[in-house]
Amino acid sequence: MSSEKSLSIIVEQNPSPASEAQRQSILQDPGFGKVFTDHMLLVHYNEEKGWHNAHIKPYGNISLDPAVCVFHYAQEIFEGLKAYKAKDGRILLFRPEANAKRFMNSAKRMAMAPLPEDLFLQAIHEFVKIEKNWIPDQSVGSLYLRPFMIASTPYLGVKPSPDYLFMLIASPAGSYFSKGAKPVTVWVSEFYTRAASGGTGEAKCGGNYAASLVAQQEATKNNCDQLVFLDAAEHKWIEEMGGMNIFFVFDDGSLLTPPLGGTILPGVTRNSIITLAKEKGLTVREERYSAEQWIKDIQSGKIREVFACGTAAVVTPIGFVKNKEGEYQIHNGNPGTLTQEIQKMLVDIQYGNAPDTHGWVKEIK
């Protein structure tokens, strides 16, 4: 079954969906990750049947045995992507095949059953068709899609689960940060680390994010919106932010982003920005960059802009950096010109407002 090109997905309509008035009220200002659509998708896996029993059903609680492996050994992965509404009403996805491939790679790293790319894409397409009325107008935001998979065998032995549950839920989304597009302040975490060489840093698994929460608390206590992690070996080299990749813009117009190497999540937005920046004629370096040098370059004016990127926040300017020694303003604390240009280039493609010369945009029909 797991080698089949498609699944038969049974659809059970929600008998009590949100009313049109309720939905429209929510879509005016949805926030991020607070409200969920009327349905969810579930697909089961076991070693004998492969992927089977695919359902789209009313959003609601699920029942799990207290002994299922996910509760005890954290066999869990997830993805994040969005559905966009074009001005002409078309429903668009941005590079969903990249999310499908990363989902497979995360599964392999976590010793889980990989969901074939074609089944991942089928699930996304079929689900978005049903929930398309939950997509906000582009002046507001998009529909955030959260595919995830958990180990579902009730067993306390430490070994990979033979059974898995793949699910897909969705949430209309506005701005990820409460400040919207305004620059954020970040805290450089000099003690806590996100991932080590040989670990799960390049997998999109919940454990990586759980490990970041205490560091985020440290950032919050220091009046910062987000944090920047350094490497685990030397506590010297910048890796990524709590849930986003990071870019630095220098006074010569070049960009630098930390290199992938197993400890950094290979972001779809990161990869897209590298491609667009190079096509714009900019030099993009994937090189190690120390926190110490970063501060020196801010003070000398060599650093002109810094921004974070990811599916949820897209592109977020960074205006201030703080560590235990002080606070440092990047340029004038306002969004940089190049940051805004890159954000517009990317968002215009995502919403269908600019030509897609890369084949990144997929229409839901």
Side-chain angles (χ1 to χ4, degrees), residues 37-172:
T37 63
D38 295 312
H39 299 89
M40 59 186 184
L41 179 145
L42 302 87
V43 187
H44 295 264
Y45 174 90
N46 64 42
E47 292 177 338
E48 291 75 31
K49 296 182 179 180
W51 295 100
H52 66 287
N53 193 19
H55 281 77
I56 293 176
K57 59 193 300 184
Y59 184 94
N61 296 338
I62 60 173
S63 178
L64 292 171
D65 190 295
V68 292
C69 296
V70 66
F71 292 148
H72 305 277
Y73 308 120
Q75 261 194 302
E76 181 271 354
I77 58 173
F78 68 97
E79 269 299 323
L81 64 160
K82 292 178 177 178
Y84 306 87
K85 183 183 293 184
K87 290 180 180 178
D88 60 9
R90 289 177 301 138
I91 305 303
L92 309 175
L93 299 174
F94 181 74
R95 303 189 68 180
E97 71 288 341
N99 295 96
K101 291 175 181 176
R102 190 170 65 183
F103 197 71
M104 289 186 68
N105 289 335
S106 294
K108 292 174 182 177
R109 178 59 185 85
M110 300 300 289
M112 304 173 75
L115 179 70
E117 181 180 340
D118 53 351
L119 300 189
F120 180 99
L121 295 174
Q122 180 194 359
I124 297 293
H125 278 252
E126 295 300 319
F127 186 74
V128 172
K129 285 181 185 178
I130 289 176
E131 302 294 64
K132 64 183 180 180
N133 290 336
W134 280 96
I135 304 175
D137 290 334
Q138 58 181 252
S139 61
V140 176
S142 55
L143 182 64
Y144 183 80
L145 306 171
R146 172 52 62 88
F148 62 101
M149 183 165 63
I150 63 172
S152 56
T153 300
Y155 181 72
L156 295 183
V158 184
K159 66 177 185 179
S161 173
D163 303 286
Y164 297 94
L165 175 62
F166 170 79
M167 294 187 65
L168 172 59
I169 57 176
S171 175

Side-chain angles (χ1 to χ4, degrees), residues 11 93 143 165 174 179 202 211 215 217 222 236 266 275 287 325 346:
V11 178
L93 299 174
L143 182 64
L165 175 62
K179 289 186 177 182
E202 64 183 352
Q217 288 180 331
N222 285 279
K236 174 181 179 180
T275 300
E287 299 175 358
E325 296 175 353
L346 186 59

Side-chain angles (χ1 to χ4, degrees), residues 81-329:
L81 64 160
K82 292 178 177 178
Y84 306 87
K85 183 183 293 184
K87 290 180 180 178
D88 60 9
R90 289 177 301 138
I91 305 303
L92 309 175
L93 299 174
F94 181 74
R95 303 189 68 180
E97 71 288 341
N99 295 96
K101 291 175 181 176
R102 190 170 65 183
F103 197 71
M104 289 186 68
N105 289 335
S106 294
K108 292 174 182 177
R109 178 59 185 85
M110 300 300 289
M112 304 173 75
L115 179 70
E117 181 180 340
D118 53 351
L119 300 189
F120 180 99
L121 295 174
Q122 180 194 359
I124 297 293
H125 278 252
E126 295 300 319
F127 186 74
V128 172
K129 285 181 185 178
I130 289 176
E131 302 294 64
K132 64 183 180 180
N133 290 336
W134 280 96
I135 304 175
D137 290 334
Q138 58 181 252
S139 61
V140 176
S142 55
L143 182 64
Y144 183 80
L145 306 171
R146 172 52 62 88
F148 62 101
M149 183 165 63
I150 63 172
S152 56
T153 300
Y155 181 72
L156 295 183
V158 184
K159 66 177 185 179
S161 173
D163 303 286
Y164 297 94
L165 175 62
F166 170 79
M167 294 187 65
L168 172 59
I169 57 176
S171 175
S175 176
Y176 182 78
F177 289 108
S178 60
K179 289 186 177 182
K182 294 181 180 179
V184 298
T185 300
V186 299
W187 174 257
V188 179
S189 180
E190 298 179 356
F191 175 76
Y192 297 106
T193 56
R194 176 184 172 274
S197 180
T200 60
E202 64 183 352
K204 199 166 179 67
C205 61
N208 291 342
Y209 295 80
S212 75
L213 297 180
V214 67
Q216 180 59 52
Q217 288 180 331
E218 179 185 52
T220 302
K221 288 179 181 178
N222 285 279
N223 299 312
C224 294
D225 304 292
Q226 259 286 349
L227 71 145
V228 174
F229 283 112
L230 306 182
D231 72 292
E234 299 180 72
H235 294 272
K236 174 181 179 180
W237 305 103
I238 297 168
E239 295 219 315
E240 65 176 75
M241 289 174 56
M244 293 167 284
N245 299 121
I246 188 168
F247 280 82
F248 307 89
V249 181
F250 291 84
D251 55 3
D252 63 358
S254 67
L255 285 80
L256 182 149
T257 190
L260 303 179
T263 60
I264 295 176
L265 185 71
V268 177
T269 307
R270 174 188 182 275
N271 178 268
S272 303
I273 288 172
I274 291 173
T275 300
L276 293 175
K278 288 181 177 179
E279 289 178 351
K280 190 177 171 65
L282 301 174
T283 298
V284 183
R285 293 171 286 137
E286 296 182 65
E287 299 175 358
R288 295 204 299 178
Y289 189 46
S290 72
E292 180 182 5
Q293 189 62 49
W294 183 21
I295 300 303
K296 289 180 179 179
D297 289 345
I298 292 173
Q299 293 174 322
S300 71
K302 188 175 181 180
I303 283 287
R304 290 298 175 86
E305 305 174 35
V306 183
F307 62 87
C309 66
T311 298
V314 191
V315 173
T316 299
I318 297 172
F320 299 87
V321 183
K322 295 175 72 173
N323 60 19
K324 63 184 180 181
E325 296 175 353
E327 179 175 332
Y328 313 91
Q329 180 177 277

